[in-house]
Amino acid sequence: MSGIRSTGGQLMASLFEKVSVLISANLHAMVDQALKSNSMAVIDQYVRQVEENLEDLEDAATTVGGEAKSLKRKLTDLEQKEDELDRAIDAFLREGNDAAAVAAQSRLNSTQRLVETYREQFKRQENEFQKLLDAKVKLEARLATMKQQREELQALLELAKSKETTVKAIKSLDDLMGSGDSDIERIAESIRTRLDKATTASEMRATNLDKQMDDVLDRGVLNAQLAERKKKLGITD
């Protein structure tokens, strides 16, 4: 039994060590590394490790919590037995049955030692169970934080890629303008001219639409005013 408990203790210590490393990880450094490498790999690896260790924590907490309940039940039974033996000794002594009282006292002594053993084991298991629950809460909080930062980081990387594509396209156009080939320069200038024309046309359409909306609204006001006057004058259409 001691060998099994020792192995379990080593596994638990290893789990706490891994969880401690994950909880104390520098999230800002990971985000900076991801931005520099333009990759989510380091973040995803951390998330996977946290999720795996959360599963291990839940399994361990379930096991230790179950053992604590079993110890508590056995302790309660032993304490009840302790009370029964204590009352029995008094009863035997009142009856003058010293031999039975001695035997009962011997059993009481053994039971009391066993009660103390179970009580210590129960306290250790309860303490271990609480540590597991605390570690689980902390690790869940770290996971939630990193997942939120991952979404923000993903948006930043996508924005950066979009900006890079735009800059590359503009640079390519500028390179064409400065290439020295008159035909290529004319093509580049034509592209720029078409872009300017399209932008101007879009602005004009927006202006015309705004004007039309103003006209319609003004007409609506005028028509309402004339209708009110006709009503006062008793004029019907």
Side-chain angles (χ1 to χ4, degrees):
M1 286 293 291
S2 60
I4 295 175
R5 284 198 295 269
S6 176
T7 302
Q10 291 174 358
L11 291 174
M12 197 68 68
S14 175
L15 177 59
F16 276 126
E17 184 178 352
K18 288 189 290 185
V19 169
S20 176
V21 170
L22 290 171
I23 292 174
S24 61
N26 190 330
L27 301 187
H28 292 299
M30 280 191 282
V31 170
D32 289 341
Q33 184 179 347
L35 283 171
K36 289 178 182 178
S37 62
N38 199 29
S39 170
M40 301 294 294
V42 63
I43 305 297
D44 290 338
Q45 176 63 22
Y46 175 82
V47 170
R48 281 194 298 271
Q49 288 179 340
V50 171
E51 290 175 340
E52 289 172 0
N53 280 274
L54 269 175
E55 290 182 3
D56 292 340
L57 275 175
E58 289 174 356
D59 289 342
T62 301
T63 300
V64 172
E67 291 174 351
K69 287 182 182 299
S70 297
L71 285 170
K72 178 63 175 177
R73 187 176 60 255
K74 291 177 181 178
L75 180 59
T76 300
D77 292 342
L78 283 170
E79 288 173 339
Q80 183 178 348
K81 186 66 175 178
E82 185 180 23
D83 291 338
E84 291 174 357
L85 286 168
D86 188 67
R87 290 196 302 271
I89 293 171
D90 290 343
F92 286 139
L93 289 175
R94 282 194 291 267
E95 292 176 356
N97 191 346
D98 291 348
V102 168
Q105 182 65 56
S106 177
R107 289 184 60 186
L108 176 61
N109 293 341
S110 298
T111 302
Q112 287 175 334
R113 287 193 295 270
L114 200 54
V115 164
E116 286 303 314
T117 299
Y118 272 100
R119 186 173 289 134
E120 290 177 6
Q121 289 180 352
F122 172 69
K123 288 181 179 179
R124 283 198 299 269
Q125 289 297 89
E126 275 286 285
N127 185 50
E128 198 77 11
F129 180 59
Q130 191 57 53
K131 286 181 180 179
L132 287 167
L133 292 182
D134 291 343
K136 180 174 176 291
V137 169
K138 291 178 182 178
L139 198 56
E140 284 174 338
R142 295 286 286 186
L143 179 60
T145 299
M146 181 49 80
K147 283 187 173 181
Q148 181 178 354
Q149 290 188 338
R150 187 193 185 286
E151 291 181 6
E152 296 171 355
L153 182 60
Q154 184 68 46
L156 282 175
L157 291 178
E158 289 176 358
L159 179 60
K161 289 178 181 178
S162 176
K163 292 285 187 182
E164 289 171 358
T165 301
T166 302
V167 170
K168 187 181 294 184
I170 293 174
K171 185 178 183 302
S172 298
L173 196 56
D174 290 340
D175 289 343
L176 287 176
M177 289 294 291
S179 64
D181 189 309
S182 59
D183 290 335
I184 294 178
E185 287 183 6
R186 281 197 301 275
I187 292 172
E189 182 59 35
S190 174
I191 293 173
R192 286 190 181 276
T193 300
R194 287 170 61 187
L195 286 173
D196 292 340
K197 184 177 180 181
T199 301
T200 302
S202 176
E203 292 172 351
M204 289 176 65
R205 282 196 296 271
T207 301
N208 290 338
L209 179 59
D210 290 341
K211 186 175 184 305
Q212 290 175 26
M213 289 175 62
D214 292 339
D215 291 342
V216 168
L217 293 174
D218 287 342
R219 279 203 306 273
V221 173
L222 291 173
N223 289 337
Q225 290 173 336
L226 291 176
E228 184 64 26
R229 284 180 177 275
K230 287 180 179 181
K231 183 178 178 180
K232 288 179 180 180
L233 296 171
I235 300 173
T236 57
D237 295 333

